[in-house]
Amino acid sequence: MKKFLILLFAALALTTNAKVQLPPLMGDNMVLQRNTDVKIWGSAAPNSNVTVTPSWSNSSVNVKADKEGKFVANVATGDAGGPFEITVTDNDGSVIIKNVLLGEVWFCAGQSNMEMPMRGFSRQPLTGTNDVIARAKASTPIRMFISDSKNGEWVRQFSKTPLETNKGAWFENTPENVANTSAAAYFFAQYLQDVLDVPVGIMVSTLGGSRIEPWLSREVIEKNHPDISLAILDNDEEVKQHSDPCVLFNAKVYPFLNYAIRGMLWYQGESNRDNADIYDDLMAEMVADYRDRWDVGEFPFYFVEIAPYDYNNAKDTDAAKLREAQSRAAKKIPNSGIASTLDIGNYNFIHPTNKKTVGDRLAWLALANTYGMTGFGSQSPVYESMEVKDGKIYINVINAERGLCPMWTSLTGFEIAGEDQVFHPAFAEIETKSCRLAVSSPEVPNPVAVRYCYQNTPECSVYNTHGLPLLPFRTDNWNK
């Protein structure tokens, strides 16, 4: 009898393990990218036949699980809509994924300014979010995969090796769920959903205080940065999740690579001010690697400029150098764009309270450059060239087709220097006739270089007519 019970329990365990199991990403309330091929994956009985049947289609997809029981089915999606169901069946039963929408899917990653939820951090509120949270309705087709918190409690995920699954779940657009969602990502999704009138899904995978190195894959570091030690990945030492290489890529990017996306949002950089000289290369390498691994084409990559903040000395330039690296990265990364925060930073708080402006500016980039809409501005003005004439330096920019503003007033945030490389506060204005920036100082009769907002906490003053700030710049390459 005892032997029989043992065999019975073993058989029951085998049967239980053989049933279809899906990762958290393949869950109720999810949004799948519309009008493309998506992957539905999980595990079933080893070598079993698996059938995936989406309710938006009259046809099923049949695949065979491998000897470990893993399966991946490629399923064609249609136009935006829902809710739908997906039935996944093997020899031992079925699992039904409910309340599925087809729409636009964006992967959102970074450090604390992307992590910061709509409810704010403790003692760090956000502006205007309480009203948005209170008005959230489940009927609004915005869905959020939150990998970083459960009921507002943070879940820290990291790994020395690539993981197949990520903790988290898809959530509907209710006040309780919106409160725990990334504010920058949510405002982006809200804007897209309102304008495009289709469901929008955001997958939020972040870690506050993290450097970019943990977000890079082992392959990228081994190929391009042999000076970065990977010993932590092969020994028994405890991981420093905010700084050790690869540990966030392994846990917070790799598990998402099967999931079809439209594009990616990135808000990170504050923690890399000490190596800003290579940050643009690290960022470009990261994006190229992600695009190759996702295998959905050269998807759009939109990122956020780090905002003004004291960083222990408002006049220092470590944050300015990181912003400069971000501007270089925007030029190196095809199909990318940068959302400026130069006018919404705070001397005392590293987390700007105005996340709506961040989300809106990211949305303008996507609507213009990804979805092909016109009639509004999306790109910040960017320094292009300079000319020295009659004791002044004239600055030319791009992305200001109708000129810069404000006109007829002196502008702040400018410095000018001569051959001695000593910078002085400068007088700057937008000339009425040429609409160029004219910068000068009586203390520098023979100027050779100009800097604008090149400090940790600069004074932003110049915009294009769409209200987008001129990105910080310097015309010199001096090491000071």
Side-chain angles (χ1 to χ4, degrees):
M1 182 68 178
K2 183 177 180 181
K3 183 177 181 181
F4 171 77
L5 289 175
I6 291 173
L7 292 173
L8 175 61
F9 289 140
L12 288 172
L14 180 62
T15 302
T16 301
N17 292 334
K19 288 183 179 179
V20 172
Q21 296 183 6
L22 303 176
L25 275 168
M26 299 281 99
D28 295 346
N29 308 315
M30 69 178 178
V31 179
L32 292 174
Q33 182 60 42
R34 59 175 171 163
N35 296 320
T36 190
D37 287 334
V38 302
K39 295 177 180 177
I40 305 299
W41 74 94
S43 62
N47 301 310
S48 63
N49 294 316
V50 179
T51 301
V52 178
T53 307
S55 66
W56 63 81
S57 172
N58 293 322
S59 60
S60 299
V61 176
N62 299 304
V63 296
K64 188 171 183 177
D66 65 18
K67 62 182 181 180
E68 296 178 347
K70 298 177 183 178
F71 71 88
V72 178
N74 293 309
V75 176
T77 59
D79 293 334
F84 300 106
E85 292 185 349
I86 303 173
T87 303
V88 184
T89 305
D90 74 350
N91 301 337
D92 296 299
S94 299
V95 172
I96 300 176
I97 310 173
K98 301 177 180 179
N99 200 22
V100 178
L101 301 179
L102 302 184
E104 295 296 294
V105 180
W106 289 78
F107 182 69
C108 311
Q111 58 181 112
S112 58
N113 268 306
M114 180 64 85
E115 180 181 274
M116 194 173 194
M118 290 285 284
R119 60 179 169 78
F121 289 138
S122 296
R123 300 179 299 280
Q124 298 179 70
L126 293 176
T127 304
T129 54
N130 197 55
D131 179 61
V132 177
I133 293 169
R135 294 174 184 270
K137 298 178 181 179
S139 59
T140 301
I142 298 174
R143 305 284 175 79
M144 304 82 68
F145 184 88
I146 305 176
S147 70
D148 304 297
S149 68
K150 184 177 182 180
N151 299 324
E153 298 298 323
W154 298 111
V155 177
R156 302 306 188 190
Q157 300 178 66
F158 52 92
S159 175
K160 293 188 178 187
T161 58
L163 301 180
E164 293 188 358
T165 61
N166 179 281
K167 297 176 184 177
W170 282 99
F171 294 94
E172 290 186 294
N173 192 68
T174 65
E176 296 83 1
N177 298 331
V178 170
N180 293 323
T181 300
S182 160
Y186 184 81
F187 280 121
F188 169 85
Q190 186 182 56
Y191 207 116
L192 252 60
Q193 197 285 315
D194 182 58
V195 173
L196 299 176
D197 197 24
V198 300
V200 174
I202 48 175
M203 300 190 296
V204 181
S205 189
T206 58
L207 182 67
S210 58
R211 297 171 62 85
I212 195 173
E213 289 86 349
W215 294 94
L216 302 178
S217 71
R218 182 169 191 151
E219 291 78 5
V220 163
I221 292 178
E222 286 179 336
K223 178 182 178 180
N224 301 303
H225 301 281
D227 56 309
I228 297 178
S229 173
L230 296 176
I232 187 67
L233 305 180
D234 302 315
N235 60 34
D236 296 328
E237 293 182 18
E238 184 177 353
V239 166
K240 296 186 286 293
Q241 56 189 316
H242 296 90
S243 57
D244 282 335
C246 312
V247 297
L248 297 183
F249 169 82
N250 290 337
K252 301 175 76 62
V253 178
Y254 190 86
F256 292 84
L257 295 177
N258 270 341
Y259 207 101
I261 60 173
R262 171 67 72 183
M264 178 176 173
L265 307 181
W266 176 251
Y267 195 167
Q268 189 276 339
E270 294 92 338
S271 294
N272 280 93
R273 302 187 323 279
D274 63 336
N275 64 343
D277 56 323
I278 64 167
Y279 182 81
D280 51 320
D281 289 332
L282 296 173
M283 195 169 165
E285 292 158 2
M286 179 189 78
V287 176
D289 184 44
Y290 286 13
R291 285 172 171 169
D292 182 61
R293 291 173 181 274
W294 243 291
D295 195 27
V296 291
E298 198 173 76
F299 60 73
F301 177 82
Y302 303 125
F303 61 99
V304 184
E305 174 187 59
I306 66 167
Y309 172 65
D310 179 26
Y311 292 112
N312 299 318
N313 189 330
K315 300 298 183 182
D316 276 352
T317 60
D318 52 330
K321 290 175 181 175
L322 195 285
R323 295 187 198 104
E324 185 177 45
Q326 289 181 309
S327 294
R328 293 196 304 267
K331 297 176 181 178
K332 292 181 177 181
I333 302 171
N335 197 16
S336 70
I338 181 169
S340 177
T341 58
L342 202 61
D343 55 341
I344 64 170
N346 188 294
Y347 180 91
N348 296 307
F349 298 102
I350 196 171
H351 303 118
T353 62
N354 180 1
K355 288 294 190 290
K356 184 177 187 304
T357 293
V358 176
D360 289 355
R361 288 175 179 172
L362 288 168
W364 293 339
L365 287 167
L367 291 171
N369 302 304
T370 302
Y371 299 105
M373 299 181 64
T374 59
F376 57 92
S378 63
Q379 303 274 3
S380 274
V382 177
Y383 167 78
E384 183 178 40
S385 63
M386 60 170 274
E387 177 188 357
V388 181
K389 184 178 179 181
D390 300 329
K392 295 182 179 181
I393 294 182
Y394 294 89
I395 300 296
N396 299 303
V397 304
I398 58 174
N399 302 331
E401 294 79 6
R402 292 182 294 166
L404 296 171
C405 61
M407 297 287 292
W408 308 297
T409 186
S410 58
L411 305 169
T412 59
F414 287 87
E415 299 172 282
I416 196 167
E419 293 287 354
D420 61 0
Q421 301 186 9
V422 176
F423 281 92
H424 300 268
F427 173 80
E429 63 179 350
I430 302 167
E431 287 196 329
T432 302
K433 184 176 180 179
S434 68
C435 289
R436 294 192 302 174
L437 280 166
V439 187
S440 62
S441 169
E443 297 182 68
V444 186
N446 298 301
V448 298
V450 165
R451 292 181 176 182
Y452 171 66
C453 287
Y454 203 74
Q455 296 178 349
N456 288 350
T457 312
E459 299 178 74
C460 171
S461 64
V462 184
Y463 299 79
N464 63 15
T465 55
H466 299 293
L468 294 167
L470 172 64
L471 294 185
F473 69 87
R474 59 171 174 163
T475 65
D476 66 277
N477 59 2
W478 302 331
N479 189 26
K480 59 169 59 178

